[in-house]
Amino acid sequence: MATQPSEGDGEEPTDVERRNADVCTVVGAVEAVGSKWKLIVLNDLRGGEKRFNELKRSTGASSYTLSRVLDGLETEGFVENRKELASPVASYYSLTEKGGDLCPVFDALDEWGTDWLE
Amino acid sequence: MATQPSEGDGEEPTDVERRNADVCTVVGAVEAVGSKWKLIVLNDLRGGEKRFNELKRSTGASSYTLSRVLDGLETEGFVENRKELASPVASYYSLTEKGGDLCPVFDALDEWGTDWLE
DNA sequence: CGGCATCCTTGGAGATACTG
DNA sequence: CAGTATCTCCAAGGATGCCG
């Protein structure tokens, strides 16, 4: 999408528009999941379904934070929730397809981390 | 709270250590570069050397923010800075090897974004 | 041009306590 | 067990101004 000066407008599209046209996907992705906790939780769910307190323990997030992060991830379609209303309620979280498709990102991060973090 | 009556040695490593041992690389990577601006700036530098105000325009960060982000990235070894002390000072930023090795991450993000963000 | 210093607002996130 | 409700604290980050 070249920003062709199509109409007589003659107006350079300016920063914002250029940015949007320019770098949408990565920046979009970063803004969608570019928060520490979201990434950590998503990565943690690659192992498969987990329940709330499991996630809490393995990620180290507080109930409060975890709850909100999961909430966000769910409404954004990254994870889905399955509840078992048995005796003591049990709710399980897992990646949706959209969330699972982030795996390559985590693989890349993992590989990078292996090279540079130890 | 759980100062476990440890038998012998404090072998229970406590949450923090468990976490570190568990998920080091990805979480480490996320904690190293897992901030919105760092990711955006790094991604922006994939195109090659850029100067301060260029980055400012293309990323949309304020001088203040950009300055601090670049500062961090530089001391952490992700980018390097080259200054030309000519007339009006010009300083160029580019990825180091460490930073460049993050490209696969951005490629993955880009691909993901292409699939899910449009 | 590059980039600190300063002020100020916001929200991210921990600790704690409470409910279904 | 799985959350929600507060309260609080601090860092992130925008706006603005100044200066080499």
Side-chain angles (χ1 to χ4, degrees):
Chain A
M1 40 165 62
T3 350
Q4 311 258 343
S6 27
E7 311 301 313
D9 221 332
E11 209 190 292
E12 275 311 305
T14 76
D15 332 45
V16 191
E17 289 176 59
R18 284 197 97 267
R19 272 198 290 139
N20 284 340
D22 236 6
V23 282
C24 48
T25 51
V26 172
V27 171
V30 166
E31 292 188 330
V33 291
S35 97
K36 183 186 151 190
W37 284 119
K38 282 187 182 176
L39 288 167
I40 290 179
V41 168
L42 285 172
N43 178 60
D44 214 65
L45 283 174
R46 292 171 74 193
E49 207 176 50
K50 274 196 178 183
R51 46 204 307 191
F52 192 86
N53 277 339
E54 263 183 295
L55 279 170
K56 190 178 157 184
R57 239 171 295 118
S58 55
T59 63
S62 65
S63 319
Y64 172 79
T65 298
L66 183 56
S67 166
R68 318 199 88 229
V69 170
L70 285 171
D71 211 42
L73 289 175
E74 195 180 350
T75 59
E76 291 153 13
F78 290 99
V79 307
E80 54 192 3
N81 178 246
R82 179 174 68 84
K83 296 198 179 179
E84 276 172 14
L85 295 167
S87 27
V89 197
S91 85
Y92 296 85
Y93 294 89
S94 54
L95 296 179
T96 61
E97 193 195 346
K98 183 176 178 184
D101 281 2
L102 278 169
C103 283
V105 174
F106 293 114
D107 286 333
L109 277 171
D110 180 49
E111 201 163 319
W112 181 87
T114 306
D115 286 348
W116 291 102
L117 289 181
E118 55 194 12
Chain B
M1 184 166 357
T3 337
Q4 293 257 358
S6 35
E7 54 252 79
D9 55 341
E11 203 209 305
E12 273 314 306
T14 78
D15 331 45
V16 191
E17 288 176 58
R18 283 195 97 269
R19 273 197 289 139
N20 284 340
D22 238 5
V23 282
C24 45
T25 51
V26 173
V27 171
V30 166
E31 293 189 330
V33 290
S35 98
K36 183 187 151 192
W37 284 119
K38 282 186 183 179
L39 288 168
I40 291 179
V41 168
L42 285 173
N43 178 60
D44 213 64
L45 283 175
R46 292 171 73 192
E49 207 176 47
K50 274 197 179 180
R51 45 203 308 190
F52 192 86
N53 277 338
E54 264 184 294
L55 280 170
K56 188 177 160 184
R57 240 170 293 118
S58 54
T59 63
S62 64
S63 319
Y64 172 79
T65 299
L66 183 56
S67 165
R68 318 198 90 232
V69 169
L70 284 171
D71 210 42
L73 289 175
E74 196 180 350
T75 59
E76 291 154 12
F78 290 99
V79 307
E80 53 192 2
N81 179 249
R82 179 174 67 85
K83 296 198 177 177
E84 275 172 15
L85 295 168
S87 26
V89 198
S91 83
Y92 297 86
Y93 293 89
S94 54
L95 296 179
T96 60
E97 194 196 344
K98 183 176 177 182
D101 281 4
L102 278 169
C103 283
V105 174
F106 294 115
D107 287 333
L109 277 171
D110 181 49
E111 201 164 317
W112 180 87
T114 306
D115 287 348
W116 292 103
L117 288 181
E118 58 197 9

